[in-house]
Amino acid sequence: MVFQRQLFRATPRLTAQLRAPAVRSTIQRRLASTENQFIKEREGAKHHAEGTADLWRKISIYAVIPALILGGANAYILWNEHWEHWSHMPPLEERVEYPYQNIRTKNYPWGDGDKTLFWNDKVNYHNKDKTT
C-alpha cells in the first residue's frame, strides 16, 4: 500500500521530467535519426518489397496470362478432337456391353434406379438385357 501511494505521488513528477525539453529532444533525436539501425533495416525491407512486388506483377502479366491462354487453346483443341473421335464410333446401342461394365448390385434410390448420379446420355448406355 505504501509503495502504491509513493508511486501515485511520484507520477506527476516523472511525467513532468519526461516533458522537459532536454529529455524530449534527446528522445526525438534518437528516434528521428537516419543513422538508426532499425530505420535502416525498415527502409531496406521497404525497398526489397517494392522490387519483389514489381517482379511478381511482371510475372503475372507476362507469364501467367499467356500460359492460361495457351492452356485454354490446347484444351479446346483436345476437346474437339475427342468429339471428332466419338463421331467415328458406332452408335451406343450397337456397342458391346461386357459383364464388368455397369455392374449393379442394387438399384439407385433416384430415377429408374439404373443410372448413376453422373449419368450422361451422350456417352453412357446401359441395357440390362444386353450382356455377353
Side-chain angles (χ1 to χ4, degrees):
M1 181 84 158
V2 175
F3 177 73
Q4 290 175 348
R5 193 176 310 153
Q6 288 176 348
L7 183 66
F8 183 72
R9 288 180 186 167
T11 303
R13 281 181 280 151
L14 290 174
T15 56
Q17 288 174 356
L18 288 175
R19 288 186 195 142
V23 174
R24 190 173 1 146
S25 65
T26 306
I27 293 172
Q28 286 176 345
R29 191 172 51 247
R30 283 188 180 170
L31 293 177
S33 173
T34 57
E35 299 169 5
N36 187 348
Q37 184 66 27
F38 175 75
I39 292 174
K40 287 181 182 178
E41 288 178 11
R42 295 302 298 161
E43 287 175 354
K46 184 178 178 182
H47 178 69
H48 175 72
E50 288 172 357
T52 305
D54 189 46
L55 171 73
W56 281 105
R57 186 178 305 110
K58 288 177 183 176
I59 288 173
S60 297
I61 293 171
Y62 299 120
V64 173
I65 293 175
L68 288 172
I69 291 170
L70 289 173
N74 183 37
Y76 179 75
I77 291 168
L78 291 175
W79 176 263
N80 287 337
E81 287 177 1
H82 172 74
W83 285 110
E84 184 180 330
H85 166 73
W86 270 82
S87 67
H88 298 298
M89 294 177 71
L92 290 173
E93 296 82 16
E94 296 177 10
R95 293 188 196 154
V96 177
E97 282 199 49
Y98 298 99
Y100 58 84
Q101 292 177 323
N102 297 315
I103 297 174
R104 307 284 190 267
T105 55
K106 64 179 184 175
N107 289 339
Y108 293 110
W110 54 82
D112 62 356
D114 188 45
K115 296 178 179 169
T116 64
L117 189 59
F118 301 103
W119 190 266
N120 182 352
D121 289 327
K122 293 181 182 177
V123 295
N124 300 115
Y125 178 76
H126 178 59
N127 186 351
K128 292 181 182 180
D129 303 327
K130 182 180 174 184
T131 55
T132 56

